[in-house]
Structures are given as C-alpha cells and as structure tokens.
Amino acid sequence: MKKWFWLLGLIVFLSSGCVKENQLTTTAGTEGLIEVELLTVIDGDTIKVKYNGKTETIRYLLIDTPEVRHQTLGNQPLGDEASSRNKQLLEDATVSLEFDVGDRYDDFGRLLAYVYADGESVQQVLLQEGLARVAYVFAPNTRHLDSFEEAETIARQADLNIWQYEQ
C-alpha cells in the first residue's frame, strides 16, 4: 500500500509543474540551427527568446562575460560593453540556437545553447573581441570548446578588453 501512495505522490509532484518535464532530460543535441525570436538581451551571455511557443531564458554555453547589475559584484569592468555588443550582434539578425548533447537546462532553469546571429557564433565573436572568457565547461557540452579556447587565447595574448584586467 505504501508503494502506491509513494508512486501517486511522485506522479502528482511531476504533473504539478514544480519541475519542468524537459528539465529532467538531456538532448541528443542538434547539428543544425533552430531559428528563434529574440525578445530581449539580458546581458553579455544571457538572452530571452521565443522557442517552441514559450518564452525561454537562454544561457550561452561555454562562456562567461563580465557582470552587470550583479547582487554582490555590481558592475564589473566591461560588463556594459559586453552586453551592448551582444545586443548589437543580435538586434537586427536572424537568431538561431544549437544544442549540445548534455543537459538542456542549468540549475537556474535557463536553456543552455550556442547562439548564432545570421549563422555566426555570438560566443565566438565575444571571445575573439575579449568580451568573454571560456567558462562553465561541463562535459559533454563541449562541442565548440576547442575553437572557443583558440579565440580566447588570441584575445588574451593581444590584451583585448577583459584581458587587460585578468592576467
């Protein structure tokens, strides 16, 4: 009898919306780009889009940009510039997502993806321009890690933007 109550409780919990169904799963990844509607740019590595008929917060895979309006860090050097550049890249572009093979959502409920503007990797551009660093590397979401690390190395060696501060 206890098993039935436990199972019933689990079913009620899962169907209650406390946990998004697709947060429990991983994806097989995508090789192609999935076009989405850009709603807003939050900062240098986070945006809101319309995907599959829902508003989703997208967290860029494999990069980190300086913080803006952070609760404890405040505004970090070049945070506003990274946010502005992200917005500039996406504003009048066709925005697309690419998923990797690992978890689809992070611990904050944000959809994890590679982001493209007119087919060009936004992460790659931010790294090349020294407005992002490679970070939050969690296998198996590492499809573009090698090229991202190369772009970061070039920006670091040239002391571009954030690399003037982080040595």
Side-chain angles (χ1 to χ4, degrees):
M1 190 69 151
K2 286 184 180 180
K3 281 185 182 178
W4 287 106
F5 283 118
W6 182 86
L7 184 58
L8 180 61
L10 180 62
I11 291 169
V12 169
F13 174 75
L14 292 175
S15 63
S16 69
C18 291
V19 176
K20 289 183 180 179
E21 177 184 328
N22 53 357
Q23 284 182 317
L24 298 174
T25 63
T26 59
T27 65
T30 55
E31 291 297 322
L33 301 182
I34 301 166
E35 193 173 317
V36 295
E37 177 188 349
L38 177 68
L39 299 176
T40 188
V41 173
I42 296 172
D43 59 24
D45 53 31
T46 314
I47 58 175
K48 281 196 186 288
V49 302
K50 183 73 78 175
Y51 169 69
N52 279 346
K54 296 189 303 189
T55 298
E56 292 277 3
T57 301
I58 308 297
R59 175 63 171 86
Y60 293 14
L61 278 168
L62 299 179
I63 71 163
D64 187 39
T65 60
E67 298 294 338
V68 292
R69 298 174 304 279
H70 191 272
Q71 292 174 342
T72 56
L73 300 174
N75 275 18
Q76 291 181 309
L78 299 169
D80 289 328
E81 290 82 352
S83 295
S84 293
R85 183 63 172 134
N86 191 26
K87 185 175 184 178
Q88 180 186 31
L89 290 167
L90 296 170
E91 223 170 23
D92 296 317
T94 298
V95 178
S96 304
L97 305 178
E98 175 189 21
F99 299 110
D100 215 325
V101 296
D103 290 337
R104 181 165 284 213
Y105 287 88
D106 69 5
D107 293 340
F108 302 101
R110 300 175 298 187
L111 191 58
L112 300 169
Y114 301 106
V115 179
Y116 294 83
D118 293 330
E120 181 178 28
S121 169
V122 176
Q123 281 108 311
Q124 187 84 24
V125 171
L126 293 171
L127 288 163
Q128 288 169 342
E129 295 179 2
L131 293 170
R133 66 183 177 92
V134 173
Y136 305 110
V137 178
F138 300 107
N141 283 338
T142 58
R143 180 180 298 154
H144 299 293
L145 181 59
D146 291 342
S147 65
F148 286 4
E149 286 178 334
E150 287 174 26
E152 178 188 77
T153 298
I154 292 167
R156 182 183 301 157
Q157 289 173 345
D159 280 334
L160 290 178
N161 291 314
I162 65 170
W163 300 111
Q164 296 171 36
Y165 300 94
E166 295 187 29
Q167 293 294 331

